[in-house]
């Protein structure tokens, strides 16, 4: 049964506002019962029980049927939903920022590693020095085995704003020379020096071409990753909508002028399978690394 906060639903609310009628509902959840049977269970007269039953019937909660000479009562609903006229939570304002994968501000990587642009590789492959090339900002895909890459997201929150939810979404995969569709890698994500958690990428995919991967990229190297959505709330963190870690918004120092986001494959990781990050020019998703700040 679906109810609104309105006069039309008032008959149901009145029918439920009685301890006796609630007892009747509980009894009828087990079986159909006659007026006499209900009266015996409730230690009330038949007339009083019939009066209560009539109110429940008028509300559409129970019905009557004949069985031989008996008039039996039965439940017609097993669930009642009440719809309030407006949500009890205020709508949050939101800032959205996207950072290209080549616009990292710090790194420490080991080969195999490299950067790829729209028309060719950027610099020499497997040479970490080229990660500081001015042309790195043109990269649409970067990859490395061990180490980390960091990005700085601007913090547009005003003094009176309170951060409620932080969303971070990006297309990630493992890294294997050429490719390996079954190549797990533990990729740790940190925000403002706080480790949020570690996700295990299942592989470095090239079974099919990436939807946005440029034609010049060979078929047997990284083609696409998996879109991962990390959400940090005031009661914990979630990855793709599932509970991830206990790290909450209050754990992160969100009053800094920037949000520092680090993607890292640690030397002591169980699966050291590298990391590949894609932006809107590569892979399967038309977006860069995206951060959303929901605030009140």
């Amino acid at each position: 049964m679906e109810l609104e906060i309105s006069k039309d639903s008032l008959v149901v609310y009145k029918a439920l506002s009685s301890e006796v009628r609630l007892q009747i509902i509980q009894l009828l959840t087990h079986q159909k019962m006659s007026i006499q049977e209900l009266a015996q269970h409730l230690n009330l007269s038949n007339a009083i029980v019939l009066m209560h039953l009539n109110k429940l019937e008028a509300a559409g909660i129970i019905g009557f049927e004949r069985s031989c000479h008996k008039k039996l009562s039965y439940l017609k609903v097993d669930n009642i939903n009440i719809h309030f006229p407006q949500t009890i939570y205020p709508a949050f304002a939101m800032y959205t920022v996207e950072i290209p994968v080549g616009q990292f501000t710090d790194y420490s990587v080991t080969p195999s590693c490299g950067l790829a642009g729209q028309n060719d590789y950027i610099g020499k492959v497997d040479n970490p020095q080229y990660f500081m090339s001015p042309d790195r900002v043109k990269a649409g895909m970067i990859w490395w085995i061990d180490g980390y890459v960091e990005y700085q997201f601007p913090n547009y929150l005003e003094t009176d704003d309170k951060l409620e939810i932080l969303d971070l979404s990006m297309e990630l995969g493992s890294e294997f020379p050429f490719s390996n569709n079954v190549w797990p890698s533990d990729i740790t994500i940190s925000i403002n020096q706080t480790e949020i958690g570690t996700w295990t990428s299942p592989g470095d995919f090239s079974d099919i071409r990436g939807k946005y991967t440029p034609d010049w990229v060979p078929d047997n190297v990284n083609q696409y990753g998996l879109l991962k959505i990390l959400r940090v709330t005031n009661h914990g963190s979630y990855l793709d909508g599932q509970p991830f870690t206990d790290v909450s918004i209050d754990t992160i120092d969100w009053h800094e002028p920037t949000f520092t986001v680090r993607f890292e494959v640690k030397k002591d990781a169980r699966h050291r399978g590298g990391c590949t990050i894609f932006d809107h020019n590569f892979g399967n998703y038309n977006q860069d690394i995206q951060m959303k700040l929901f605030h009140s």
Side-chain angles (χ1 to χ4, degrees):
M1 180 180 288
E2 305 294 322
L3 301 181
E4 306 289 341
I5 302 297
S6 67
K7 290 182 179 180
D8 293 338
S9 301
L10 194 57
V11 64
V12 180
Y13 301 137
K14 287 181 177 180
L16 296 174
S17 64
S18 162
E19 184 178 347
V20 172
R21 291 193 284 274
L22 293 180
Q23 288 179 298
I24 291 173
I25 291 172
Q26 290 171 342
L27 289 169
L28 294 180
T29 59
H30 302 291
Q31 60 184 358
K32 300 175 182 179
M33 299 180 71
S34 67
I35 296 173
Q36 292 78 12
E37 290 170 334
L38 287 168
Q40 290 175 359
H41 276 85
L42 298 169
N43 197 26
L44 296 171
S45 69
N46 289 356
I48 294 295
V49 170
L50 181 58
M51 179 270 293
H52 286 296
L53 290 173
N54 287 336
K55 290 187 176 182
L56 290 170
E57 183 194 30
I61 296 174
I62 71 164
F64 293 114
E65 67 178 33
R66 285 285 178 180
S67 177
C68 297
H69 300 294
K70 290 184 178 181
K71 183 179 182 180
L72 299 180
S73 306
Y74 64 92
L75 279 182
K76 294 176 65 176
V77 299
D78 59 5
N79 188 51
I80 296 178
N81 296 316
I82 301 175
H83 301 277
F84 282 76
Q86 60 185 14
T87 58
I88 60 174
Y89 297 106
F92 295 140
M94 180 184 69
Y95 296 122
T96 301
V97 180
E98 289 196 16
I99 300 291
V101 298
Q103 198 171 310
F104 48 85
T105 54
D106 194 13
Y107 73 96
S108 176
V109 300
T110 60
S112 61
C113 62
L115 307 94
Q118 194 63 29
N119 300 309
D120 203 349
Y121 294 109
I122 297 173
K124 295 180 180 180
V125 175
D126 293 340
N127 189 330
Q129 281 86 333
Y130 284 93
F131 269 61
M132 197 42 65
S133 166
D135 289 334
R136 73 183 188 278
V137 296
K138 301 176 183 178
M141 178 177 72
I142 66 171
W143 65 94
W144 71 95
I145 289 292
D146 288 320
Y148 67 87
V149 169
E150 280 187 354
Y151 296 86
Q152 299 286 330
F153 286 79
N155 184 354
Y156 292 138
L157 295 172
E158 302 288 345
T159 304
D160 295 334
D161 292 340
K162 182 180 186 301
L163 182 61
E164 303 284 355
I165 298 172
L166 184 152
D167 278 2
L168 186 69
S169 62
M170 53 274 150
E171 186 174 353
L172 298 176
S174 306
E175 160 52 23
F176 185 87
F178 295 104
S179 68
N180 189 335
N181 294 320
V182 182
W183 187 249
S185 183
D186 297 335
I187 301 172
T188 299
I189 303 173
S190 301
I191 301 176
N192 283 0
Q193 293 75 52
T194 298
E195 188 174 302
I196 308 299
T198 299
W199 169 67
T200 301
S201 168
D204 181 19
F205 304 108
S206 66
D207 52 327
I208 59 174
R209 289 198 63 84
K211 182 177 180 180
Y212 298 101
T213 299
D215 292 339
W216 72 265
V217 178
D219 291 340
N220 61 346
V221 302
N222 319 57
Q223 291 292 320
Y224 66 92
L226 301 178
L227 184 67
K228 309 307 295 180
I229 302 175
L230 174 65
R231 168 164 287 186
V232 186
T233 73
N234 57 15
H235 54 268
S237 299
Y238 298 81
L239 189 64
D240 300 333
Q242 299 300 312
F244 190 40
T245 67
D246 293 333
V247 178
S248 65
I249 282 292
D250 292 336
T251 311
I252 301 172
D253 186 1
W254 50 272
H255 297 93
E256 294 292 324
T258 61
F259 288 93
T260 302
V261 176
R262 172 181 287 198
F263 301 97
E264 182 175 13
V265 179
K266 297 184 176 182
K267 292 188 179 298
D268 60 353
R270 180 183 177 188
H271 302 104
R272 293 171 56 194
C275 180
T276 303
I277 311 179
F278 303 80
D279 77 3
H280 70 280
N281 289 320
F282 277 74
N284 282 345
Y285 298 93
N286 188 24
Q287 70 164 68
D288 299 329
I289 306 173
Q290 184 184 88
M291 178 178 286
K292 294 181 179 179
L293 303 177
F294 298 87
H295 61 92
S296 59

